[in-house]
Amino acid sequence: MKSYIKLANKFEEISNLNGTLEILHWDNAVIMPEGSSNDRARQFATINSLIHQIMTSSEVSDLIEDSLSRQNDLNEWQKANLSLIKHRWIHANAVDQDLLRKFTLAGTECEMRWRTMREDNNFQDFSIFLSRVVELSREIASAKAETLNSDCKYDALLDQYARGKKSKDIDIIFSELRNFLPGFLDKVLEHQSSKGAIKSPDKKFPIEKQKSLAKKIMKQIGFDFNKGRLDESMHPFCGGTADDVRITTRYSEDDFINSLMGVIHETGHAMYESGLPFEYRYQPVGEALGMAVHESQSLLLEMQVGRSREFIKYLSPLLVEEFGEDDSFEVDNLYRLYNKVERGLIRVDADEVTYPLHVIVRYEIEKKLIEGEIEVKDLPDIWNSMYKDLLGADVPDYKNGCMQDIHWTDGSFGYFPTYSLGAIYASLFYEKANSDLPQIGEQIEQGDFSAIISWLRENIHSKGSLYQEDELLEKVTGEKINIDKYKKYLTDKYLA
Amino acid sequence: MKSYIKLANKFEEISNLNGTLEILHWDNAVIMPEGSSNDRARQFATINSLIHQIMTSSEVSDLIEDSLSRQNDLNEWQKANLSLIKHRWIHANAVDQDLLRKFTLAGTECEMRWRTMREDNNFQDFSIFLSRVVELSREIASAKAETLNSDCKYDALLDQYARGKKSKDIDIIFSELRNFLPGFLDKVLEHQSSKGAIKSPDKKFPIEKQKSLAKKIMKQIGFDFNKGRLDESMHPFCGGTADDVRITTRYSEDDFINSLMGVIHETGHAMYESGLPFEYRYQPVGEALGMAVHESQSLLLEMQVGRSREFIKYLSPLLVEEFGEDDSFEVDNLYRLYNKVERGLIRVDADEVTYPLHVIVRYEIEKKLIEGEIEVKDLPDIWNSMYKDLLGADVPDYKNGCMQDIHWTDGSFGYFPTYSLGAIYASLFYEKANSDLPQIGEQIEQGDFSAIISWLRENIHSKGSLYQEDELLEKVTGEKINIDKYKKYLTDKYLA
């Protein structure tokens, strides 16, 4: 036990350093003056290097080994914690410090170049920087695959974001979606257009009023403003720590929908963070269970709850109260507006039906890039032909095509599939929640989110990282991932 | 040279960690939700402990020794840097980690208690917590005095804020002020009242307008908003890093003077931070030279510049522009309003004439407390009798007396005298600046601060911590500390 306690203390220290990084990141995105990035970069580098020093110290390595040999003295949570610690240790120690440094530098450079080159639609020059990032990512993936005894390099990256998940399992799921969605999309578009025109709001939405509406709804959902904040940033996110959850959004005077749905989405992430098990708060086992489950929490609140007819019934009078009467605020129109499906080019603007298709494009491409089956120069051709095939959309240029995303620039390969896994989990969780607590929908119509939130608290949030992803899904829903149910959810919602 | 470079890298790391602490502190004071203090306290503790680990590592100790033995290879700046590093090393290593932990806990507890007990005017209970802090501060002072070979415990604490400064030197200066100021105060009050009533502004000052005025003046002074910010906090301060200087103020709709002068004061601190030598930015020698010189920079801008007749001439039309006409905005009236002297009880509200008296009370008491000549229970009696003697003021209760300040609660003993040393330096620096550049005053009248700022940049800011405090004063003014000149400054200003 003594070595386990010492080890847990080390990881508590790392947790405090990660919390510090969260605040620095938040500050960076929300507050920091533009000219101050040099000092901030130094702070990030120093803290990351201190975390790496702890993770790669012989002390931690010895403590892990000793703790593993005395596992029988540990309870279920402690065992899971030890296993997570070992998992992190493997990832941290698999890669040479020098390679990591080169990778971080290349990523920073590429991200910076992307900002201007995307504006200029300049793939030619951008591809030089991205190629360097891909090359180093491959080296990292190789090193990790070797340590993990995996014959798939991409899986070694995926494992960072979804422990134990394999691309061959994702392939099965995504091929089902690939078969289903394009045809389904045709039907949905036809169905939606058969219902006639949707009225768009025809007024300005003052930002102060949008803020106050967003906060009102966050409070109703259960967000605790005594331990969290809502602010503005270019790219909305949820950050901070469990006791200090900070979400952001961006506002436009011409449109309140994107911002409000963004706030509800981030509130889903926030509720997860604040609902994690208090007793293990500063340990890996007390953290959120990977990116797919995190995304399931935000999507459930945004898609299943926030874009439901029940929620719209609650929202409609609030909109009138805040912004005055508008024809488009009528419930049925608002519902259609909120669930409009389009063959769009931009992932972050995509609806629930097309979103998985955007993800599949990225997943298939990034897997091939990491495995060395394609090179960066091949990117635009593959991208454009996949968009034609899957979405029936013509990509007119790089900046609305393969250069639209910042995600790959810093070498973050391996987490795109978690977005769509999260969407599937969300639909499965919500179905189970409604069968457990049939009052959820009625409550939402009254602006009461207590049933759904307490169900999530009990079944998901409070479990932290005690189980693996597939295990959690099975414990909660009673079965393995069920794509038919997900298809049925989409069909019921979009072809009704 | 190799060991010096390694050592400097270690201190660059510490500088980045200190920069991180600065941002966390700023966030704490400006942004953080109330309920999030637990996570923040953990972040502070972890980073402070990592700094302490570096400072007390055998590696750093060996590097210092080795660098000192090869000093001849170092340039003047590097030598000064090494000496500062050694100074910090001495302070960090003088005190046992366990004692430090107890001290921090006692300080946090006492500060927390003070917040409510001050409201309740409850010295009885408060004294228990403060006594504990004093006791542990004495232990720390003893340990440091032993390492520093000093026979004065208080000096060992003072040395943390003003390297090498001794209380016997301060005693000489303060006894001159003690002899001079009470009689001078009588004369000033008589002189000011003989001039008739001062008109006070008789309107509301919308906070948005105060902010825009404050920013306008900061920009004129030379504050770079691309590398800094102005925000609001309960207790105004200047924090952040050289590339990211963050000052705060607080606003009241009923009064713009306090806030505006506060902003100018903090801008003085900010200009110092941003003007420090770029080449040594992340090393001790590139940092500000102790608290007295820092305070001289803020006070010079607030007292010598901001409350001068020239500045008021510049300010008066700006006030009209921002807030509309008001009788009190007339230059002569405004000047008198800005320089009104009072027998006040509260240090932070004190004017330039009485401020040193408030400081002398605290200095004499804290010295006796640390030396064990008095105990916490004796505090109110000494406090009240000194306020009667020095300021001619009757202290009605604890909360306007010895419990007014948060400063002692966390065990920060030893820096009160630097406030008044700073005030003296400010007057001496400003006199020299004006004799070097006679256009300073005329420029200020036009809202042009370039001459005074560039003089400060060249003579003070750019020197960082290359010299000791007394050395800098002598290099800049050509003489040792000159109290007669300071008295003359006060006399010229307040009896004119």
Side-chain angles (χ1 to χ4, degrees), chain A residues 11 55 77-90 163 283-287 289 464-467:
Chain A
F11 275 80
M55 289 294 282
W77 283 86
Q78 291 168 324
K79 275 183 198 156
N81 196 37
L82 187 53
S83 154
L84 285 157
I85 285 174
K86 174 82 192 206
H87 180 250
R88 290 185 190 189
W89 182 88
I90 289 171
R163 186 165 60 121
Q283 293 297 322
V285 75
E287 292 179 15
L289 176 55
S465 287
L466 180 59
Y467 309 119

Side-chain angles (χ1 to χ4, degrees), chain B residues 163-174:
Chain B
R163 188 164 60 121
K165 188 67 74 191
K166 306 277 177 233
S167 53
K168 66 178 169 41
D169 301 321
I170 292 174
D171 288 342
I172 295 170
I173 296 164
F174 280 13

Side-chain angles (χ1 to χ4, degrees), chain B residues 154-155 158-159 162 164-178 292 359-360 363-364 366-367 414-421 424-425 469-470 481 483:
Chain B
Y154 183 79
D155 282 4
L158 177 61
D159 187 65
K165 188 67 74 191
K166 306 277 177 233
S167 53
K168 66 178 169 41
D169 301 321
I170 292 174
D171 288 342
I172 295 170
I173 296 164
F174 280 13
S175 85
E176 280 206 53
L177 295 182
R178 221 190 142 138
V359 167
I360 289 170
Y363 168 69
E364 296 200 359
E366 69 176 17
K367 205 167 44 135
Y415 72 80
F416 263 123
T418 66
Y419 285 145
S420 288
L421 291 177
I424 298 167
Y425 298 161
E469 209 170 293
D470 294 344
I481 193 161
I483 303 300

